[in-house]
mmCIF file of all heavy atoms in Angstrom:
data_model
loop_
_atom_site.group_PDB
_atom_site.id
_atom_site.type_symbol
_atom_site.label_atom_id
_atom_site.label_comp_id
_atom_site.label_asym_id
_atom_site.label_seq_id
_atom_site.Cartn_x
_atom_site.Cartn_y
_atom_site.Cartn_z
ATOM 1 N N ALA C 488 -27.008 26.873 9.025
ATOM 2 C CA ALA C 488 -26.322 26.359 7.850
ATOM 3 C C ALA C 488 -27.086 26.763 6.612
ATOM 4 O O ALA C 488 -28.310 26.769 6.618
ATOM 5 C CB ALA C 488 -26.240 24.838 7.929
ATOM 6 N N PRO C 489 -26.370 27.154 5.558
ATOM 7 C CA PRO C 489 -27.076 27.523 4.332
ATOM 8 C C PRO C 489 -27.850 26.327 3.784
ATOM 9 O O PRO C 489 -27.532 25.179 4.094
ATOM 10 C CB PRO C 489 -25.971 27.939 3.376
ATOM 11 C CG PRO C 489 -24.700 27.892 4.127
ATOM 12 C CD PRO C 489 -24.934 27.207 5.425
ATOM 13 N N ARG C 490 -28.813 26.629 2.975
ATOM 14 C CA ARG C 490 -29.626 25.632 2.324
ATOM 15 C C ARG C 490 -28.751 24.573 1.641
ATOM 16 O O ARG C 490 -27.693 24.885 1.104
ATOM 17 C CB ARG C 490 -30.457 26.342 1.250
ATOM 18 C CG ARG C 490 -31.766 25.718 0.882
ATOM 19 C CD ARG C 490 -32.617 26.758 0.107
ATOM 20 N NE ARG C 490 -31.812 27.550 -0.838
ATOM 21 C CZ ARG C 490 -31.574 27.171 -2.104
ATOM 22 N NH1 ARG C 490 -32.034 26.034 -2.549
ATOM 23 N NH2 ARG C 490 -30.861 27.946 -2.893
ATOM 24 N N GLY C 491 -29.203 23.341 1.694
ATOM 25 C CA GLY C 491 -28.519 22.301 0.925
ATOM 26 C C GLY C 491 -27.392 21.628 1.681
ATOM 27 O O GLY C 491 -26.766 20.711 1.174
ATOM 28 N N ILE C 492 -27.102 22.070 2.898
ATOM 29 C CA ILE C 492 -26.046 21.396 3.655
ATOM 30 C C ILE C 492 -26.690 20.561 4.745
ATOM 31 O O ILE C 492 -27.602 21.012 5.436
ATOM 32 C CB ILE C 492 -25.057 22.417 4.258
ATOM 33 C CG1 ILE C 492 -24.364 23.145 3.112
ATOM 34 C CG2 ILE C 492 -24.047 21.714 5.146
ATOM 35 C CD1 ILE C 492 -23.248 24.040 3.552
ATOM 36 N N ASP C 493 -26.227 19.333 4.857
ATOM 37 C CA ASP C 493 -26.796 18.389 5.789
ATOM 38 C C ASP C 493 -26.620 18.864 7.236
ATOM 39 O O ASP C 493 -25.500 19.032 7.714
ATOM 40 C CB ASP C 493 -26.098 17.035 5.564
ATOM 41 C CG ASP C 493 -26.651 15.967 6.483
ATOM 42 O OD1 ASP C 493 -27.837 16.092 6.851
ATOM 43 O OD2 ASP C 493 -25.902 15.039 6.830
ATOM 44 N N ALA C 494 -27.729 19.057 7.913
ATOM 45 C CA ALA C 494 -27.691 19.606 9.273
ATOM 46 C C ALA C 494 -26.915 18.695 10.229
ATOM 47 O O ALA C 494 -26.181 19.163 11.104
ATOM 48 C CB ALA C 494 -29.109 19.829 9.783
ATOM 49 N N ALA C 495 -27.056 17.381 10.027
ATOM 50 C CA ALA C 495 -26.374 16.443 10.924
ATOM 51 C C ALA C 495 -24.859 16.585 10.793
ATOM 52 O O ALA C 495 -24.121 16.545 11.783
ATOM 53 C CB ALA C 495 -26.802 15.016 10.604
ATOM 54 N N GLN C 496 -24.421 16.780 9.546
ATOM 55 C CA GLN C 496 -22.980 16.952 9.318
ATOM 56 C C GLN C 496 -22.491 18.234 9.979
ATOM 57 O O GLN C 496 -21.420 18.272 10.558
ATOM 58 C CB GLN C 496 -22.685 17.012 7.808
ATOM 59 C CG GLN C 496 -23.056 15.764 7.076
ATOM 60 C CD GLN C 496 -21.867 15.140 6.378
ATOM 61 O OE1 GLN C 496 -20.783 15.706 6.312
ATOM 62 N NE2 GLN C 496 -22.052 13.948 5.863
ATOM 63 N N VAL C 497 -23.295 19.278 9.858
ATOM 64 C CA VAL C 497 -22.908 20.546 10.474
ATOM 65 C C VAL C 497 -22.811 20.363 11.989
ATOM 66 O O VAL C 497 -21.864 20.810 12.630
ATOM 67 C CB VAL C 497 -23.929 21.662 10.139
ATOM 68 C CG1 VAL C 497 -23.571 22.942 10.881
ATOM 69 C CG2 VAL C 497 -23.967 21.903 8.641
ATOM 70 N N GLU C 498 -23.800 19.645 12.537
ATOM 71 C CA GLU C 498 -23.834 19.410 13.975
ATOM 72 C C GLU C 498 -22.565 18.674 14.422
ATOM 73 O O GLU C 498 -21.878 19.071 15.374
ATOM 74 C CB GLU C 498 -25.091 18.579 14.309
ATOM 75 C CG GLU C 498 -25.613 18.756 15.708
ATOM 76 C CD GLU C 498 -25.436 20.177 16.230
ATOM 77 O OE1 GLU C 498 -25.996 21.140 15.648
ATOM 78 O OE2 GLU C 498 -24.701 20.313 17.217
ATOM 79 N N GLU C 499 -22.251 17.603 13.689
ATOM 80 C CA GLU C 499 -21.066 16.798 13.998
ATOM 81 C C GLU C 499 -19.805 17.676 13.902
ATOM 82 O O GLU C 499 -18.938 17.639 14.776
ATOM 83 C CB GLU C 499 -20.984 15.616 13.005
ATOM 84 C CG GLU C 499 -19.686 14.811 13.030
ATOM 85 C CD GLU C 499 -19.505 14.018 14.312
ATOM 86 O OE1 GLU C 499 -20.484 13.931 15.093
ATOM 87 O OE2 GLU C 499 -18.387 13.524 14.562
#
Side-chain angles (χ1 to χ4, degrees):
Chain C
R490 207 164 40 88
I492 296 188
D493 181 28
Q496 298 239 352
V497 175
E498 206 35 61
E499 170 68 11

